[in-house]
Amino acid sequence: MYSMFYNLESELVSGFMTEHSASIFVFFFLAEYASIVLICILNSILFLGGYLFILPLDLIIYIFNLFFDINNTYIYDILLHISSSPLNLAVKTAFLVFVFIWVRASFPRIRFDQLMSVCWTVLLPIVIAYIVLMPCIVYGLAIIPTNITLL
């Protein structure tokens, strides 16, 4: 008989961790959180603009002109350096890590059979529809880039 606690047995005895000492146990969890940070860094670079500031520099200068006299070139240079600083990448990454761990801790554990059911019945039809729909939209709207010279 299938029990709802069948998959939780690995967490009661810590599964494959029972054979390892404390230092190797720590390395497993450090690797897990390092992968979270790496994925969040890649997501912030690829989808959130990386080191660039969220707001355009013109809007930042306009907001500062509302409150301060920004005709000074020194302040403009500071704003220019802040708008393209690695600190922006760190803030975006920290926000994504926070959201990742928050979502991971908030939702209950999904059983493997439920996960496979969602993958086969929901995600796979969406992916197939996307693969069929995107070329149809590109061809139908005639937005195929034909002016690009190939090597």
Side-chain angles (χ1 to χ4, degrees), residues 89-107:
L89 178 65
V91 168
K92 291 174 188 178
T93 303
F95 175 73
L96 287 177
V97 167
F98 173 74
V99 170
F100 194 100
I101 294 175
W102 186 15
V103 168
R104 186 176 155 195
S106 297
F107 289 117

Side-chain angles (χ1 to χ4, degrees), residues 8-148:
L8 299 178
E9 179 188 353
S10 63
E11 291 171 357
L12 294 175
V13 295
S14 193
F16 59 93
M17 298 294 179
T18 55
E19 294 108 18
H20 301 296
S21 64
S23 61
I24 299 175
F25 180 76
V26 167
F27 286 133
F28 276 116
F29 283 99
L30 281 176
E32 184 178 352
Y33 282 100
S35 68
I36 290 173
V37 171
L38 178 68
I39 291 299
C40 290
I41 288 173
L42 289 176
N43 279 328
S44 66
I45 289 172
L46 293 175
F47 302 116
L48 296 179
Y51 64 90
L52 300 174
F53 197 64
I54 296 172
L55 301 174
L57 186 61
D58 297 337
L59 183 62
I60 297 170
I61 292 173
Y62 176 75
I63 291 171
F64 268 82
N65 276 332
L66 291 177
F67 299 107
F68 307 108
D69 183 24
I70 199 166
N71 294 329
N72 189 353
T73 58
Y74 180 70
I75 296 174
Y76 180 76
D77 289 340
I78 290 174
L79 285 177
L80 186 64
H81 290 303
I82 289 174
S83 68
S84 62
S85 163
L87 184 65
N88 293 326
L89 178 65
V91 168
K92 291 174 188 178
T93 303
F95 175 73
L96 287 177
V97 167
F98 173 74
V99 170
F100 194 100
I101 294 175
W102 186 15
V103 168
R104 186 176 155 195
S106 297
F107 289 117
R109 241 187 85 148
I110 299 173
R111 292 192 329 240
F112 297 125
D113 59 333
Q114 293 172 335
L115 182 64
M116 292 304 291
S117 175
V118 168
C119 287
W120 282 107
T121 60
V122 176
L123 296 179
L124 186 65
I126 289 174
V127 168
I128 292 173
Y130 189 75
I131 289 172
V132 170
L133 185 66
M134 280 300 123
C136 293
I137 289 174
V138 168
Y139 184 73
L141 295 177
I143 54 176
I144 300 173
T146 55
N147 60 350
I148 297 176

